[in-house]
Amino acid sequence: MDPVEAVGADASAPLRVLLVEDDDADALLVTEHFADTDLAVDLSRAHSLAEAEASLATGDGETPDCVLLDLALPDAHDFDGLRRLLHVDGPAVLVLTGRRDEQLGADAVGVGAQDYLVKDAVDGPSLARAVRYAVERRRTDRVRRALRDAQLRADENARLERGLLPSPLLEDPEVRILARYEPGTEQTLLGGDFYDVVEGHDGTLHAVIGDVCGHGPDEAALGVSLRIAWRTLVLSGIDPDRVLPTMHELLVSERNHPTLFTTLAAATVDPTRTRLTLRLAGHPPPALVGEGEDTHLLSTERLGLPLGVGSGQRWAPLELELPPKWALLLYTDGLIEGRQESGDVLWTDGLQALLRDITAGPLPWRDDPGAMLDAVMEQVRALSTARIDDVAAVLLVSDR
């Protein structure tokens, strides 16, 4: 249920009120006051603060909408009991005090009580009104807090997404970069898919796409760290064979659980745009996109372990000659793991067949590669009865 809907649910039901009062006569008076009003109340009683805390902690019945708290309990003094009950998330707290303690009641509002009532000055209507207002104020506070928390989470997710999905750093006018990202349809937490494309000072083109296992802000933050580390390493001119081992060491150092790992595909295209070097760390292979049957997925014969698995290794490069006007599609496994009606997953063979079908259309897809990429995403979405992972895809198109 949406947090805003949850706090306002069952508004027409009787209000659940917990009276914390050790004096039987005062408790009877409160009961009679409620009986004199048209307010529907489900009233329960605790004789001490300890009994109230035990009831709230065990969850017997439902959490009350309001607690009426006597400030003069044998096991609580001054505001001690109030502070302890305010730690319970949910009920509004109204304090009960004697006339001689009226200032104490007013001070209790400053501590956090919704309001205070003087025992020998309250009647049924004023009690009902105070309870109604306290509950509504508490519900309003919870709505505001839920909205604020949702906005904070949205802002944090937006910051993480900007880190995971950056703007390419590219000056070559003959290379086009198109990227797409879609969150998983069955999860609401931010995932750890990331990508980046940069051009080195010598004109070498570097591209990476990765997927931190799991979903949530920790995984997303780790993905941001890995992407920034990758960009820093490749732009620094470090030996390409040291990039993935260094990222492996960073992941092992930064992860919050020893089983956390990252799959990754890193592609390097030389300045002439005729030769590709590919390194795979447990990641599905990119596709070299042509026309129809000319489209094929690259080999996985040099597939290495994911980052974070094992003690680190050299990820052997796969060297390939590129055809004129090539296009390279990198993607995360969310694109190929959607469950189809048959129960099978699309996987790499299915993606290759889908790409061949789309690129064999009557119109040259290179005239609008963005539409082609959108068609791929749309068809994968249509074929998948359930997809629990995010999808990131990056298409590099060379016009040379």
Side-chain angles (χ1 to χ4, degrees), residues 44-298:
S44 58
R45 180 187 175 193
H47 295 77
S48 66
L49 183 68
E51 186 180 336
E53 288 182 310
S55 174
L56 293 171
T58 57
D60 292 340
E62 296 187 64
T63 302
D65 299 297
C66 182
V67 174
L68 293 176
L69 174 66
D70 180 14
L71 286 180
L73 294 170
D75 59 344
H77 302 283
D78 295 331
F79 302 134
D80 177 56
L82 173 61
R83 290 190 178 98
R84 285 157 63 179
L85 289 185
L86 287 175
H87 284 297
V88 179
D89 185 31
V93 179
L94 281 170
V95 299
L96 299 171
T97 183
R99 183 174 294 279
R100 66 182 181 278
D101 297 324
E102 186 170 353
Q103 183 58 48
L104 188 66
D107 293 340
V109 175
V111 175
Q114 289 290 336
D115 204 345
Y116 74 97
L117 298 169
V118 179
K119 291 181 180 179
D120 56 359
V122 71
D123 57 15
S126 61
L127 175 62
R129 183 170 58 252
V131 169
R132 280 197 186 99
Y133 288 170
V135 171
E136 288 307 315
R137 283 196 297 269
R138 181 60 172 166
R139 285 174 175 168
T140 299
D141 290 343
R142 293 174 67 194
V143 168
R144 288 173 178 167
R145 187 171 68 248
L147 291 174
R148 185 185 68 246
D149 291 346
Q151 184 60 54
L152 289 174
R153 285 194 298 271
D155 292 344
E156 181 64 18
N157 282 355
R159 286 192 293 271
L160 289 171
E161 284 183 352
R162 286 195 296 270
L164 290 166
L165 317 176
S167 299
L169 183 60
L170 179 68
E171 295 184 359
D172 188 344
E174 296 185 301
V175 175
R176 289 175 283 172
I177 307 297
L178 301 100
R180 300 290 186 270
Y181 172 79
E182 291 183 359
T185 55
E186 294 185 3
Q187 58 90 15
T188 58
L189 295 176
L190 189 68
D193 290 9
F194 63 92
Y195 65 79
D196 204 351
V197 180
V198 298
E199 184 178 0
H201 298 300
D202 62 352
T204 301
L205 183 64
H206 304 273
V208 69
I209 195 161
D211 183 1
V212 180
C213 69
H215 298 284
D218 290 337
E219 289 78 5
L222 182 57
V224 173
S225 298
L226 292 173
R227 185 199 65 77
I228 294 173
W230 176 87
R231 176 177 281 209
T232 302
L233 290 168
V234 298
L235 289 179
S236 71
I238 189 176
D239 179 354
D241 288 335
R242 286 297 308 155
V243 173
L244 295 193
T246 303
M247 293 180 67
H248 168 87
E249 294 172 8
L250 173 67
L251 187 152
V252 170
S253 173
E254 293 293 327
R255 65 188 176 185
N256 60 3
H257 194 279
T259 62
L260 200 63
F261 64 88
T262 298
T263 68
L264 180 145
T268 302
V269 182
D270 73 345
T272 68
R273 305 292 184 255
T274 61
R275 190 163 187 82
L276 169 70
T277 302
L278 178 66
R279 291 176 173 85
L280 297 177
H283 202 85
L288 199 58
V289 184
E291 304 289 339
E293 293 298 316
D294 292 335
T295 296
H296 62 276
L297 268 67
L298 301 182

